[in-house]
Amino acid sequence: MKKRLIFLLTAMMMFLAACGNEEASSGDESKEKDTTTETITYESESGPVEVPADPKRVVVLSLYVGDLLEMGVNVVGMDSWSYDNPEFAKAYPDAEIVESTDYEKIIELDPDLIIGSNNVEDAKKLEEIAPTVLFTYGKLDYLDTRMEIGKVLNKEKEMQAWMDEFKERSASLGKEIKAKIGEDATVTVAGYADKQIFLFGDSWGRGTEILYKEMGLKMPEAVADVALEPGYFGISEEVLGDYVGEYLVLNVAETEKDTSFLESNAYKNISAVKNGNVFYANGASFYFADAYSLNYQLDFFEKHFLGK
């Protein structure tokens, strides 16, 4: 009887040990599955790039932070121009400021994807850190660029839905604005920095794509002559009045140290200024033409043109 009891206890211990090993093995397999990253292939300008199907830690080196913000994708590092945008800094408070040559810092961020412009100093070094997709600024239309970002993030359907809504809303607001200010009313978009004025064409951010392309508002001929082809054109403060239409959208960064020109007689005598038709935008928030920024600009135009 005693021998039988010992035998039963030994058998039970061996059985429990075997179960424990199976659970551990199953746990290890489960862990391996959890850490396996699915990928997709994105056809970039330089060829196919294998990128994560669900990126979790993205470093953005130029222009595209707002696209990731709109698509709900995490950004762990961004360039200083992007971080100067208070909307982006607020959305990603833990993101590090990095430039394209901060290789060691980028490595420490452990990104699973890097997105930027193709003017980086050494793309090969970035590619060694993580899958890297670079775009040529201006090669594609601004909305086509949004769609390409959607493809990189494996969120093409979500980006298409955003685009459809954006175009519909832009067209609707454009009709309302024209009905209020007149079909032929002209709008100038300008920026001020370091005592110089910059006039913008229809493809240089600052809401220009919305006003001129989506809403079909008119640009003054004087602005079109100098800024439409190059994208922007610098002038002195004294001659701004020669380029301002019935309305002026003026981008001035909140950090700009000297805005004394706003008190000058030359500025105060501009018709749009005297008529109260100047809309002041924070240059840092108005700079980009990504999905988030375009929505932000639409809200701005709805508020200032229509008082909504």
mmCIF file of all heavy atoms in Angstrom, residues 73-103:
data_model
loop_
_atom_site.group_PDB
_atom_site.id
_atom_site.type_symbol
_atom_site.label_atom_id
_atom_site.label_comp_id
_atom_site.label_asym_id
_atom_site.label_seq_id
_atom_site.Cartn_x
_atom_site.Cartn_y
_atom_site.Cartn_z
ATOM 1 N N VAL A 73 -1.706 58.237 -35.109
ATOM 2 C CA VAL A 73 -0.463 57.469 -35.034
ATOM 3 C C VAL A 73 0.525 58.177 -34.112
ATOM 4 O O VAL A 73 0.681 59.403 -34.174
ATOM 5 C CB VAL A 73 0.154 57.289 -36.434
ATOM 6 C CG1 VAL A 73 1.484 56.539 -36.347
ATOM 7 C CG2 VAL A 73 -0.819 56.532 -37.342
ATOM 8 N N ASN A 74 1.222 57.420 -33.295
ATOM 9 C CA ASN A 74 2.139 57.977 -32.300
ATOM 10 C C ASN A 74 3.428 58.496 -32.938
ATOM 11 O O ASN A 74 4.035 57.842 -33.785
ATOM 12 C CB ASN A 74 2.482 56.912 -31.258
ATOM 13 C CG ASN A 74 3.323 57.469 -30.132
ATOM 14 O OD1 ASN A 74 3.108 58.578 -29.658
ATOM 15 N ND2 ASN A 74 4.302 56.697 -29.684
ATOM 16 N N VAL A 75 3.848 59.679 -32.508
ATOM 17 C CA VAL A 75 5.106 60.284 -32.953
ATOM 18 C C VAL A 75 6.029 60.408 -31.750
ATOM 19 O O VAL A 75 5.661 61.018 -30.743
ATOM 20 C CB VAL A 75 4.865 61.679 -33.579
ATOM 21 C CG1 VAL A 75 6.196 62.363 -33.907
ATOM 22 C CG2 VAL A 75 4.013 61.558 -34.837
ATOM 23 N N VAL A 76 7.226 59.831 -31.861
ATOM 24 C CA VAL A 76 8.178 59.884 -30.748
ATOM 25 C C VAL A 76 9.280 60.910 -30.979
ATOM 26 O O VAL A 76 10.010 61.269 -30.052
ATOM 27 C CB VAL A 76 8.806 58.502 -30.480
ATOM 28 C CG1 VAL A 76 7.745 57.522 -30.030
ATOM 29 C CG2 VAL A 76 9.546 57.980 -31.716
ATOM 30 N N GLY A 77 9.413 61.394 -32.212
ATOM 31 C CA GLY A 77 10.415 62.416 -32.509
ATOM 32 C C GLY A 77 9.997 63.237 -33.706
ATOM 33 O O GLY A 77 9.371 62.721 -34.640
ATOM 34 N N MET A 78 10.304 64.539 -33.673
ATOM 35 C CA MET A 78 9.958 65.418 -34.789
ATOM 36 C C MET A 78 10.984 66.531 -34.904
ATOM 37 O O MET A 78 11.706 66.834 -33.957
ATOM 38 C CB MET A 78 8.549 66.008 -34.613
ATOM 39 C CG MET A 78 8.396 66.963 -33.444
ATOM 40 S SD MET A 78 6.703 67.635 -33.271
ATOM 41 C CE MET A 78 5.845 66.256 -32.517
ATOM 42 N N ASP A 79 11.043 67.161 -36.082
ATOM 43 C CA ASP A 79 11.990 68.254 -36.302
ATOM 44 C C ASP A 79 11.531 69.510 -35.562
ATOM 45 O O ASP A 79 10.376 69.614 -35.146
ATOM 46 C CB ASP A 79 12.125 68.538 -37.803
ATOM 47 C CG ASP A 79 10.818 69.005 -38.408
ATOM 48 O OD1 ASP A 79 9.879 68.183 -38.514
ATOM 49 O OD2 ASP A 79 10.716 70.184 -38.765
ATOM 50 N N SER A 80 12.446 70.441 -35.411
ATOM 51 C CA SER A 80 12.161 71.642 -34.614
ATOM 52 C C SER A 80 11.060 72.502 -35.227
ATOM 53 O O SER A 80 10.270 73.119 -34.503
ATOM 54 C CB SER A 80 13.441 72.471 -34.442
ATOM 55 O OG SER A 80 13.979 72.839 -35.693
ATOM 56 N N TRP A 81 10.984 72.562 -36.568
ATOM 57 C CA TRP A 81 9.933 73.344 -37.224
ATOM 58 C C TRP A 81 8.559 72.819 -36.810
ATOM 59 O O TRP A 81 7.633 73.587 -36.543
ATOM 60 C CB TRP A 81 10.071 73.273 -38.746
ATOM 61 C CG TRP A 81 11.037 74.247 -39.313
ATOM 62 C CD1 TRP A 81 12.372 74.056 -39.540
ATOM 63 C CD2 TRP A 81 10.763 75.595 -39.716
ATOM 64 N NE1 TRP A 81 12.934 75.188 -40.067
ATOM 65 C CE2 TRP A 81 11.979 76.144 -40.193
ATOM 66 C CE3 TRP A 81 9.618 76.382 -39.729
ATOM 67 C CZ2 TRP A 81 12.069 77.456 -40.661
ATOM 68 C CZ3 TRP A 81 9.705 77.688 -40.210
ATOM 69 C CH2 TRP A 81 10.923 78.202 -40.659
ATOM 70 N N SER A 82 8.432 71.505 -36.776
ATOM 71 C CA SER A 82 7.156 70.908 -36.402
ATOM 72 C C SER A 82 6.855 71.152 -34.931
ATOM 73 O O SER A 82 5.715 71.458 -34.558
ATOM 74 C CB SER A 82 7.170 69.399 -36.689
ATOM 75 O OG SER A 82 7.320 69.150 -38.071
ATOM 76 N N TYR A 83 7.876 71.022 -34.077
ATOM 77 C CA TYR A 83 7.649 71.180 -32.646
ATOM 78 C C TYR A 83 7.289 72.619 -32.288
ATOM 79 O O TYR A 83 6.657 72.868 -31.257
ATOM 80 C CB TYR A 83 8.877 70.733 -31.849
ATOM 81 C CG TYR A 83 8.544 70.371 -30.423
ATOM 82 C CD1 TYR A 83 8.045 69.106 -30.104
ATOM 83 C CD2 TYR A 83 8.693 71.296 -29.395
ATOM 84 C CE1 TYR A 83 7.716 68.775 -28.801
ATOM 85 C CE2 TYR A 83 8.364 70.969 -28.086
ATOM 86 C CZ TYR A 83 7.875 69.712 -27.800
ATOM 87 O OH TYR A 83 7.541 69.398 -26.514
ATOM 88 N N ASP A 84 7.678 73.581 -33.144
ATOM 89 C CA ASP A 84 7.306 74.972 -32.910
ATOM 90 C C ASP A 84 5.807 75.192 -33.066
ATOM 91 O O ASP A 84 5.273 76.194 -32.587
ATOM 92 C CB ASP A 84 8.062 75.892 -33.880
ATOM 93 C CG ASP A 84 9.512 76.090 -33.480
ATOM 94 O OD1 ASP A 84 9.857 75.791 -32.323
ATOM 95 O OD2 ASP A 84 10.308 76.530 -34.336
ATOM 96 N N ASN A 85 5.141 74.272 -33.766
ATOM 97 C CA ASN A 85 3.693 74.349 -33.909
ATOM 98 C C ASN A 85 3.067 73.946 -32.573
ATOM 99 O O ASN A 85 3.199 72.795 -32.146
ATOM 100 C CB ASN A 85 3.229 73.402 -35.017
ATOM 101 C CG ASN A 85 1.742 73.502 -35.297
ATOM 102 O OD1 ASN A 85 0.929 73.684 -34.388
ATOM 103 N ND2 ASN A 85 1.376 73.370 -36.549
ATOM 104 N N PRO A 86 2.397 74.860 -31.888
ATOM 105 C CA PRO A 86 1.853 74.540 -30.557
ATOM 106 C C PRO A 86 0.840 73.403 -30.578
ATOM 107 O O PRO A 86 0.683 72.700 -29.583
ATOM 108 C CB PRO A 86 1.212 75.860 -30.106
ATOM 109 C CG PRO A 86 0.986 76.637 -31.364
ATOM 110 C CD PRO A 86 2.089 76.249 -32.288
ATOM 111 N N GLU A 87 0.167 73.212 -31.717
ATOM 112 C CA GLU A 87 -0.803 72.118 -31.820
ATOM 113 C C GLU A 87 -0.094 70.773 -31.768
ATOM 114 O O GLU A 87 -0.568 69.825 -31.120
ATOM 115 C CB GLU A 87 -1.592 72.241 -33.135
ATOM 116 C CG GLU A 87 -2.330 73.559 -33.294
ATOM 117 C CD GLU A 87 -3.345 73.797 -32.195
ATOM 118 O OE1 GLU A 87 -4.079 72.843 -31.859
ATOM 119 O OE2 GLU A 87 -3.420 74.920 -31.680
ATOM 120 N N PHE A 88 1.047 70.668 -32.431
ATOM 121 C CA PHE A 88 1.788 69.413 -32.446
ATOM 122 C C PHE A 88 2.473 69.159 -31.101
ATOM 123 O O PHE A 88 2.501 68.030 -30.609
ATOM 124 C CB PHE A 88 2.831 69.418 -33.559
ATOM 125 C CG PHE A 88 2.264 69.563 -34.944
ATOM 126 C CD1 PHE A 88 3.070 69.955 -36.001
ATOM 127 C CD2 PHE A 88 0.929 69.313 -35.187
ATOM 128 C CE1 PHE A 88 2.552 70.088 -37.279
ATOM 129 C CE2 PHE A 88 0.389 69.451 -36.467
ATOM 130 C CZ PHE A 88 1.213 69.838 -37.514
ATOM 131 N N ALA A 89 3.039 70.219 -30.537
ATOM 132 C CA ALA A 89 3.711 70.079 -29.239
ATOM 133 C C ALA A 89 2.722 69.648 -28.168
ATOM 134 O O ALA A 89 3.052 68.858 -27.279
ATOM 135 C CB ALA A 89 4.377 71.399 -28.855
ATOM 136 N N LYS A 90 1.497 70.140 -28.254
ATOM 137 C CA LYS A 90 0.463 69.776 -27.281
ATOM 138 C C LYS A 90 0.006 68.332 -27.487
ATOM 139 O O LYS A 90 -0.246 67.609 -26.522
ATOM 140 C CB LYS A 90 -0.726 70.732 -27.415
ATOM 141 C CG LYS A 90 -1.860 70.470 -26.449
ATOM 142 C CD LYS A 90 -2.903 71.571 -26.522
ATOM 143 C CE LYS A 90 -3.543 71.668 -27.895
ATOM 144 N NZ LYS A 90 -4.618 72.694 -27.955
ATOM 145 N N ALA A 91 -0.086 67.916 -28.740
ATOM 146 C CA ALA A 91 -0.556 66.562 -29.041
ATOM 147 C C ALA A 91 0.480 65.504 -28.685
ATOM 148 O O ALA A 91 0.132 64.387 -28.290
ATOM 149 C CB ALA A 91 -0.927 66.449 -30.514
ATOM 150 N N TYR A 92 1.769 65.873 -28.831
ATOM 151 C CA TYR A 92 2.853 64.918 -28.556
ATOM 152 C C TYR A 92 3.846 65.539 -27.569
ATOM 153 O O TYR A 92 5.001 65.818 -27.916
ATOM 154 C CB TYR A 92 3.571 64.561 -29.851
ATOM 155 C CG TYR A 92 2.699 63.892 -30.883
ATOM 156 C CD1 TYR A 92 2.361 64.553 -32.077
ATOM 157 C CD2 TYR A 92 2.221 62.600 -30.693
ATOM 158 C CE1 TYR A 92 1.571 63.935 -33.039
ATOM 159 C CE2 TYR A 92 1.429 61.975 -31.650
ATOM 160 C CZ TYR A 92 1.108 62.649 -32.821
ATOM 161 O OH TYR A 92 0.325 62.038 -33.770
ATOM 162 N N PRO A 93 3.437 65.721 -26.336
ATOM 163 C CA PRO A 93 4.295 66.406 -25.362
ATOM 164 C C PRO A 93 5.580 65.656 -25.031
ATOM 165 O O PRO A 93 6.554 66.258 -24.577
ATOM 166 C CB PRO A 93 3.392 66.530 -24.124
ATOM 167 C CG PRO A 93 2.410 65.404 -24.261
ATOM 168 C CD PRO A 93 2.156 65.292 -25.727
ATOM 169 N N ASP A 94 5.601 64.351 -25.243
ATOM 170 C CA ASP A 94 6.785 63.555 -24.908
ATOM 171 C C ASP A 94 7.714 63.343 -26.100
ATOM 172 O O ASP A 94 8.766 62.705 -25.959
ATOM 173 C CB ASP A 94 6.359 62.188 -24.348
ATOM 174 C CG ASP A 94 5.571 62.321 -23.053
ATOM 175 O OD1 ASP A 94 5.880 63.239 -22.268
ATOM 176 O OD2 ASP A 94 4.642 61.516 -22.833
ATOM 177 N N ALA A 95 7.325 63.851 -27.258
ATOM 178 C CA ALA A 95 8.168 63.675 -28.445
ATOM 179 C C ALA A 95 9.462 64.475 -28.310
ATOM 180 O O ALA A 95 9.465 65.591 -27.782
ATOM 181 C CB ALA A 95 7.411 64.117 -29.693
ATOM 182 N N GLU A 96 10.544 63.896 -28.807
ATOM 183 C CA GLU A 96 11.846 64.558 -28.773
ATOM 184 C C GLU A 96 12.048 65.374 -30.043
ATOM 185 O O GLU A 96 11.570 65.010 -31.115
ATOM 186 C CB GLU A 96 12.961 63.523 -28.654
ATOM 187 C CG GLU A 96 12.968 62.744 -27.351
ATOM 188 C CD GLU A 96 13.489 63.579 -26.190
ATOM 189 O OE1 GLU A 96 14.196 64.565 -26.448
ATOM 190 O OE2 GLU A 96 13.187 63.228 -25.035
ATOM 191 N N ILE A 97 12.770 66.486 -29.896
ATOM 192 C CA ILE A 97 13.140 67.279 -31.070
ATOM 193 C C ILE A 97 14.401 66.667 -31.672
ATOM 194 O O ILE A 97 15.432 66.554 -31.004
ATOM 195 C CB ILE A 97 13.398 68.747 -30.701
ATOM 196 C CG1 ILE A 97 12.139 69.377 -30.103
ATOM 197 C CG2 ILE A 97 13.845 69.536 -31.925
ATOM 198 C CD1 ILE A 97 12.339 70.792 -29.597
ATOM 199 N N VAL A 98 14.320 66.252 -32.921
ATOM 200 C CA VAL A 98 15.464 65.645 -33.596
ATOM 201 C C VAL A 98 15.574 66.195 -35.012
ATOM 202 O O VAL A 98 14.577 66.526 -35.637
ATOM 203 C CB VAL A 98 15.354 64.106 -33.662
ATOM 204 C CG1 VAL A 98 15.466 63.492 -32.286
ATOM 205 C CG2 VAL A 98 14.061 63.678 -34.337
ATOM 206 N N GLU A 99 16.800 66.310 -35.476
ATOM 207 C CA GLU A 99 17.051 66.647 -36.867
ATOM 208 C C GLU A 99 17.541 65.388 -37.587
ATOM 209 O O GLU A 99 17.862 64.379 -36.950
ATOM 210 C CB GLU A 99 18.068 67.779 -36.968
ATOM 211 C CG GLU A 99 17.661 69.039 -36.203
ATOM 212 C CD GLU A 99 16.277 69.563 -36.549
ATOM 213 O OE1 GLU A 99 15.871 69.458 -37.722
ATOM 214 O OE2 GLU A 99 15.587 70.079 -35.653
ATOM 215 N N SER A 100 17.615 65.453 -38.893
ATOM 216 C CA SER A 100 17.906 64.251 -39.669
ATOM 217 C C SER A 100 19.299 63.688 -39.421
ATOM 218 O O SER A 100 19.566 62.523 -39.734
ATOM 219 C CB SER A 100 17.736 64.551 -41.164
ATOM 220 O OG SER A 100 18.645 65.554 -41.582
ATOM 221 N N THR A 101 20.199 64.499 -38.855
ATOM 222 C CA THR A 101 21.559 64.017 -38.592
ATOM 223 C C THR A 101 21.776 63.600 -37.134
ATOM 224 O O THR A 101 22.887 63.230 -36.760
ATOM 225 C CB THR A 101 22.588 65.108 -38.957
ATOM 226 O OG1 THR A 101 22.257 66.319 -38.272
ATOM 227 C CG2 THR A 101 22.599 65.362 -40.460
ATOM 228 N N ASP A 102 20.729 63.651 -36.327
ATOM 229 C CA ASP A 102 20.842 63.233 -34.921
ATOM 230 C C ASP A 102 20.702 61.712 -34.811
ATOM 231 O O ASP A 102 19.791 61.191 -34.158
ATOM 232 C CB ASP A 102 19.757 63.924 -34.076
ATOM 233 C CG ASP A 102 19.951 65.421 -33.971
ATOM 234 O OD1 ASP A 102 21.088 65.869 -34.144
ATOM 235 O OD2 ASP A 102 18.957 66.125 -33.708
ATOM 236 N N TYR A 103 21.629 61.009 -35.443
ATOM 237 C CA TYR A 103 21.472 59.561 -35.580
ATOM 238 C C TYR A 103 21.414 58.846 -34.229
ATOM 239 O O TYR A 103 20.563 57.977 -34.022
ATOM 240 C CB TYR A 103 22.619 58.989 -36.427
ATOM 241 C CG TYR A 103 22.754 59.676 -37.767
ATOM 242 C CD1 TYR A 103 23.904 60.400 -38.087
ATOM 243 C CD2 TYR A 103 21.718 59.626 -38.704
ATOM 244 C CE1 TYR A 103 24.020 61.046 -39.314
ATOM 245 C CE2 TYR A 103 21.823 60.271 -39.927
ATOM 246 C CZ TYR A 103 22.983 60.988 -40.232
ATOM 247 O OH TYR A 103 23.093 61.635 -41.431
#
